[in-house]
Each structure stands twice: as structure tokens, then as C-alpha cells.
Amino acid sequence: MLRYQNNLPKLPVPALQTTLQKYLETVRPLLSDEDYSHTHKAVQEFEAPGGVGEKLQERLLAKANDPSVVNWMEDWWLDQAYMGYRDPVVIYVSYFFVYKDDKLRKLPAQRAAAITTAALEFKKAVLEQTLEPEYAKGEPMCMDSYKYMFNNCRIPHKPSDYETQSDPLANNHVIVIRKNKFYTVPTVHEGRPLSTHELQAQYERVIELAGTDKGPALGVLTANNRDCWTTDRALLLKNSANKKAMDIIESASFVVCLDDQSPVTRDEASRACWHGDGRNRFFDKPLQFVVFENGKAGFTGEHSCMDGTTTCRLNEYITHGLAQNTVQHGHSTRTLPAPSQLSFHLTPAIEQAIKTAEDSFDALIDRHDLTVLAYNAFGKQQIKKFKSSPDGFAQMVIQLAYYKMFGVNRPTYESGQTRKFQRGRTETCRSVSTASVHFCKVMEDPHASTEAKIAGFRAAIASQGAYMGAAVNGQGVDRHLFGLKNSLLPGEPKPALFTDPANAYSSHWYLSTSQLSSEHFDGYGWGQVVNDGFGVAYIIKNNSLQFNVASVKDLEVHGKKYINGTRQFKQCLEDAANDLRDILLTEVPVEAKL
């Protein structure tokens, strides 16, 4: 698994002039002539010989070339993008996957047991380092983040959280939450792993033991503001029994949430996996497998130490393995000790903290909306017949949809992974370009010819593809500027480049987007990163596309309210995909019918 690790290149520091030129190119379509002139002047001052830009670049290069530094960005990024972030992880940090239905396993304990067996099989491969490295276009990816997957937990702390890792061999239990009550289920008994049948029996016992009454909603504390949770956790840990219980939760391999609700629609299942009722969860754990009363299932991930590509592989392994019957379920049917319920001593102060966290969570969720567009007209196979990159196609659908709804294009983030470098994480692909804006305008021009629209599309996806290619090679704009800002010493004045309004505006992500491909998922998403924008996660399948749209309810953008805006944007996505299909089909030869 780690055989390429030490030979992976270090994350590069791009040439200063290259980044600044690219930055100007990305802000040009977003700014008026007057604002662009102001930004251009700020860039010129920054890159002047002997100026502040060269000084910051020298400091950043010195850090990058320090033999003791593996990745110049990782400590800054982990703290400022995740651990130092004080808003709740739910909505703002956590993400989710919804699994397709398992036609063989419709009982919740049955499905949860199978998922657990597959996850533990993956854990074994990680621990034994037999898991094959990931590759992108033939190049090996960094596998370092897998160490944060199992027996890990995010710990609330002021001013910045931290992660804790427990011995994965000594801690072979999972935590099962039912009716807000926490149970510990060992997955090894007398030296032998539990079979799927034995796990199912244990989960059925948890359901029986939990009964019909809900327990105190201790888990909702993890959904609160991080400073509040830090204070509340300290109150909990004053009691030795509470501390022991928390240690058991935080050291567990992962969490299995046996919810008592039964979501039916994609929207319902997505919201249930995204946040649920906030009570039957422990959001600090990086892995939570959620199984519902009707057998539907999914996953909730804590994002701080692992990006979605890593947990996507885990979940793909689980869902594909169960669908193809390649998971080893075992055959033993032993009589096992009953699962143990963790007991907590709750003082009036802690009970009040739980009530406050519940109110905060309910208010937060009530402010947000989510909807899913399952677009079944075509998928990856047809897009390739259009002679287009599937990702580029989806990005232009998003750009055109936004233009349809707002009459303008605005800053867009697309996640590009930099895991070809040691401990690499992500870089921003800035999807809006001069070419993409022209494409949107010509698509909405009723007098433009089909040929002009197709030419506009080809130029737009070429621009998006070129930027993504640079981003995954560590040659994007945003992480480099992030590093330069962090190279300022305390007390040094910020250069005009960083105080220029265009700098903040061009990274105000009205659209935060990312994609994955899986035939086994029926949902994937997260929240918007700004309250006047959308979070748009999309799945590219062989014969369909799926877009998850999240935003605040009735969002307001630049002073204008959009009642039911989440669903308006969903409709615009469908219309944009149809429009693109119609023009591109004119170039596809008609296949003979038999």
C-alpha cells in the first residue's frame, strides 16, 4: 500500500509570475474593466523586482525545501480549513454518501452487519498494508491519509481541534447508536472475528435493548459550535464514568447508526445521511455508517483529515463487494455476550447543554435546503460520444444553469486532488473562464447558430480541462496564494494584492462543486460554503448524471431573494443538460436501428 510513498514528489511551489498571470486570467471574466485595472495594478506591485512578492516567495520556497517539512501546506491547511474552524461540522464540513438499495438485505440489522463486515475487511487490508495504492492516469497517489480512517476521532479544543488515533489492534469494537443510546459491540470474540450472521444477531439485540424510548441526545453535542462542544466535553469528562465512556467511543473502529426513521425519496435519504435528526450520531468520528429502519443505508464522513476520494474508495469497496458477493462473511454462529450500553452521568448543566445544542441544530437544519436531480437521459457513455470530458461536460452544465438562473457567472470552486504529491490534499480548479462565460452567453442567445454554440462549448471545456490539469499538478492559484499569505510575519502589512476586493470576491465560492463516479451510490453531497451560494456535488454514472444541490432556504444573492432557490437551480441544471444534449446530438452520427 505504501510502496511508492517515500518516492512521491513533494508538493511544488509554483513560479510566482506564473501564478500571478493565471490569477489575472481567472479574475478577468469576473470583474468590470475598472475593477480589473485596480487588480492588475495590485499584481504589478506584488511582483515588482525586490518587492514583497519575491520576499514571500523566498520564505515559502525555504519552507518547502526544508528537509524536515514533508508538505509545505499541510499544517496551515489542516488548522485554517478544518481544525481551527469553529462553526459546526454538520452542514459546513461533513459530507455524505447514499447507497443504492440492497435487494438481498432489507432488514436494518442484516444490512448493517454486512456493511460492518465489508468495512472491517477493508480495515484489515489497511492495517496489513495489502491495499493496492490508488492511481490517477497511471501515477500512484499518496496513501498517507488512510491512517486517519479507523479508530480515529476529532477532539474539540480551543482555539483549534486536534485528532486522536487509538491502537487499531487493541480496539476492535464498533459503537452502535440506537434511540440516542450508545452500545459497544466487539467485532472479535476469543480471538476470532465475528461473522456477518453474528454481527446481525448483535445488532438485533441492540435494537431490542434500546426499546422504544429515546435516551438523552448526547450525540447532538458533537453537532454544535466547536467552542461550545469544547466546553461541554470538559463538563462531561469531570465524571470518571463519562470519561471512560467517551474513551470507548473515540477509540472505536467506527460508528454504526441504526436510525428509527425510514426515508423514501432521494431527497429524504440524502438529508438523513447528511445530518439526520442530529441526535443519533457522533459527528466527530470520521466514519459513520447509517442504516435506516427500512433497510436503506449510507455514510457520513468527518472531513478534517481525509478528503472524499479516500472514503469514496472505502464505500465503493463496501457497496461493490456486497453487490458482487466478494466479501467474506464467515460461518460461525456462536453465543456471544450481549452488547454493552455506555452509561453517562448527566448533571443539570450537561442536560442544559444538550437542550441548547438541540435547539441550535434544529435551527441550523431548518435554515437549509437540499434537493437531488437524478438526470437519466444520458451519462458518461453518451458524453464520450459527444467527444467531451465527462467532468468538463458536468461543469459546463453547472455554469450554464447558474447563468440561466442569475444572468451572470460567478466564482466557482471545483475540487482537484493533489494526492500525486506526498500528503497532498486538494487544489482549486477555477471553473469560470473567459471561454466559459462566452459559452453561457452564446447558449442563451436565441440568434446564435448551433455551430457557434458548439464551438463555445469546446473552447470552454478545453479551458476547464487545462486548468484542472494544472491544479492536480500543484500549479493552481489558490493554494499558492494561501501559502504566500501565510508567509507574512506577524505585524507585517498585507500587500494590496491581498486587500484588493477582487481577491476576496474571486474566492467567494458561489458554487462549490466536486464529482465522483460510482454505480453503487444514489447520493453524495455537502453544504454550501457561503450562504449566498450552492454546494453542488455530482455523480457521473455510465448512463446517468446526478446533481445534489444544497443551499440556505430562500437564499438571497446580491440583494435579491430567490424563494425556493434550491429547486429553481435544480430545474436550471436539467434545462442546461437538455440544451447541451440537443446541440451536441447534431454532431453524433445516427446509429442504424436493427
Side-chain angles (χ1 to χ4, degrees):
M1 181 175 95
L2 300 174
R3 62 181 179 270
Y4 299 115
Q5 197 65 28
N6 292 333
N7 295 321
L8 293 176
K10 295 175 74 171
L11 182 70
V13 175
L16 183 61
Q17 286 190 328
T18 301
T19 292
L20 294 176
Q21 181 58 40
K22 196 173 294 175
Y23 173 70
L24 287 173
E25 291 172 2
T26 64
V27 300
R28 174 63 280 201
L30 302 172
L31 303 177
S32 67
D33 291 345
E34 181 181 352
D35 289 342
Y36 179 76
S37 176
H38 187 271
T39 298
H40 191 274
K41 181 182 177 183
V43 167
Q44 286 181 317
E45 290 176 3
F46 190 79
E47 68 178 344
V52 64
E54 287 189 356
K55 191 182 298 181
L56 296 178
Q57 179 79 347
E58 287 172 7
R59 292 175 188 168
L60 187 55
L61 284 168
K63 180 175 182 177
N65 294 328
D66 184 340
S68 67
V69 174
V70 177
N71 183 306
W72 61 260
M73 193 185 78
E74 66 172 340
D75 291 341
W76 287 333
W77 188 251
L78 183 62
D79 179 62
Q80 295 172 45
Y82 294 109
M83 294 302 194
Y85 191 76
R86 307 326 286 162
D87 282 339
V89 294
V90 189
I91 298 295
Y92 298 112
V93 179
S94 301
Y95 59 98
F96 69 89
F97 304 133
V98 179
Y99 299 161
K100 289 177 68 175
D101 289 346
D102 186 335
K103 299 186 185 306
L104 297 177
R105 302 173 182 91
K106 297 189 175 182
L107 299 175
Q110 180 187 33
R111 184 140 199 216
I115 290 169
T116 300
T117 297
L120 291 173
E121 196 172 89
F122 194 89
K123 175 184 174 179
K124 183 172 184 285
V126 171
L127 293 184
E128 296 177 351
Q129 297 188 6
T130 57
L131 190 69
E132 182 66 15
E134 291 176 60
Y135 300 87
K137 296 185 177 178
E139 293 183 294
M141 299 284 104
C142 178
M143 301 291 286
D144 181 76
S145 62
Y146 281 85
K147 69 188 180 188
Y148 300 115
M149 187 171 279
F150 299 99
N151 305 95
N152 195 278
C153 196
R154 177 171 173 160
I155 304 297
H157 189 262
K158 298 176 186 179
S160 185
D161 294 357
Y162 61 92
E163 61 83 26
T164 183
Q165 179 73 40
S166 300
D167 185 342
L169 296 175
N171 296 282
N172 54 42
H173 62 288
V174 298
I175 291 296
V176 184
I177 314 177
R178 173 73 176 181
K179 301 286 186 180
N180 307 340
K181 303 166 187 175
F182 291 74
Y183 297 83
T184 177
V185 176
T187 61
V188 175
H189 181 67
E190 297 179 345
R192 287 169 47 208
L194 269 63
S195 66
T196 302
H197 180 81
E198 289 171 329
L199 284 167
Q200 180 178 341
Q202 293 295 74
Y203 291 166
E204 287 170 347
R205 292 168 91 173
V206 166
I207 293 172
E208 182 181 356
L209 288 167
T212 57
D213 296 332
K214 290 185 183 288
L218 188 80
V220 79
L221 295 174
T222 66
N224 208 356
N225 171 278
R226 302 306 293 176
D227 285 343
C228 295
W229 173 214
T230 301
T231 301
D232 296 340
R233 183 174 181 272
L235 281 176
L236 265 178
L237 298 187
K238 285 182 178 180
N239 179 281
S240 59
N242 290 348
K243 185 179 186 308
K244 182 179 178 181
M246 290 293 288
D247 286 344
I248 292 171
I249 294 171
E250 291 165 2
S251 64
S253 293
F254 48 81
V255 171
V256 176
C257 305
L258 295 175
D259 279 18
D260 58 7
Q261 60 178 304
S262 296
V264 175
T265 67
R266 285 191 180 89
D267 285 13
E268 290 171 347
S270 294
R271 291 208 70 144
C273 289
W274 188 20
H275 52 71
D277 69 357
R279 281 82 166 164
N280 209 58
R281 299 284 186 276
F282 198 86
F283 289 105
D284 287 353
K285 293 293 282 184
L287 309 180
Q288 292 191 96
F289 299 101
V290 186
V291 182
F292 302 101
E293 201 78 354
N294 58 0
K296 286 186 178 292
F299 169 84
T300 304
E302 200 286 306
H303 204 332
S304 57
C305 291
M306 289 184 297
D307 294 314
T309 54
T310 307
T311 52
C312 176
R313 185 178 183 189
L314 162 68
N315 284 275
E316 180 74 7
Y317 181 94
I318 292 168
T319 52
H320 180 80
L322 293 176
Q324 298 299 317
N325 199 29
T326 58
V327 174
Q328 301 300 310
H329 291 285
H331 302 287
S332 55
T333 54
R334 297 165 288 180
T335 300
L336 300 170
S340 302
Q341 182 177 353
L342 300 181
S343 59
F344 291 90
H345 175 70
L346 303 182
T347 64
I350 295 172
E351 290 175 343
Q352 181 56 49
I354 290 172
K355 176 66 169 62
T356 300
E358 286 184 293
D359 292 343
S360 296
F361 174 84
D362 291 342
L364 177 68
I365 298 309
D366 190 56
R367 292 195 301 270
H368 287 80
D369 203 0
L370 176 150
T371 189
V372 181
L373 170 63
Y375 185 81
N376 295 313
F378 59 85
K380 183 191 303 181
Q381 292 181 356
Q382 181 61 57
I383 293 170
K384 288 185 173 180
K385 291 180 181 178
F386 292 152
K387 298 179 181 178
S388 169
S389 148
D391 182 66
F393 183 95
Q395 280 292 316
M396 290 311 118
V397 167
I398 294 169
Q399 288 302 311
L400 181 55
Y402 194 90
Y403 189 86
K404 282 176 176 288
M405 183 166 173
F406 296 97
V408 67
N409 295 103
R410 293 194 175 106
T412 301
Y413 169 94
E414 180 186 4
S415 178
Q417 63 172 346
T418 53
R419 285 179 54 207
K420 67 186 291 184
F421 303 105
Q422 289 189 49
R423 298 187 195 167
R425 295 202 58 170
T426 61
E427 172 60 281
T428 303
C429 176
R430 294 186 167 209
S431 299
V432 176
S433 63
T434 299
S436 73
V437 171
H438 172 74
F439 153 71
C440 292
K441 289 179 177 178
V442 76
M443 282 294 294
E444 290 299 282
D445 181 355
H447 306 294
S449 66
T450 298
E451 291 76 15
K453 293 178 179 181
I454 292 174
F457 170 74
R458 301 284 178 212
I461 61 169
S463 178
Q464 184 269 347
Y467 199 106
M468 178 60 82
V472 299
N473 282 297
Q475 300 294 319
V477 164
D478 290 87
R479 302 299 182 261
H480 189 194
L481 292 181
F482 173 79
L484 294 171
K485 287 178 187 177
N486 277 280
S487 298
L488 284 165
L489 300 178
E492 286 186 332
K494 288 185 179 180
L497 176 64
F498 298 150
T499 59
D500 175 24
N503 184 269
Y505 176 71
S506 68
S507 57
H508 183 92
W509 306 121
Y510 292 84
L511 287 163
S512 175
T513 74
S514 186
Q515 72 103 354
L516 58 79
S517 297
S518 174
E519 296 296 322
H520 300 287
F521 294 177
D522 203 29
Y524 155 56
W526 63 86
Q528 75 290 344
V529 298
V530 293
N531 282 341
D532 51 358
F534 298 102
V536 184
Y538 53 102
I539 305 174
I540 300 175
K541 301 183 181 184
N542 286 330
N543 296 301
S544 64
L545 304 171
Q546 195 160 307
F547 297 87
N548 186 91
V549 182
S551 74
V552 297
K553 289 181 180 175
D554 302 338
L555 79 164
E556 184 175 324
V557 184
H558 290 223
K560 181 177 179 181
K561 280 205 173 230
Y562 293 84
I563 305 301
N564 210 20
T566 319
R567 283 161 177 75
Q568 284 188 44
F569 190 62
K570 170 185 175 179
Q571 185 60 54
C572 290
L573 285 166
E574 183 176 352
D575 294 345
N578 287 339
D579 288 355
L580 264 179
R581 174 200 61 194
D582 292 346
I583 64 164
L584 293 172
L585 278 175
T586 65
E587 288 192 333
V588 177
V590 178
E591 296 181 4
K593 294 183 180 180
L594 296 178

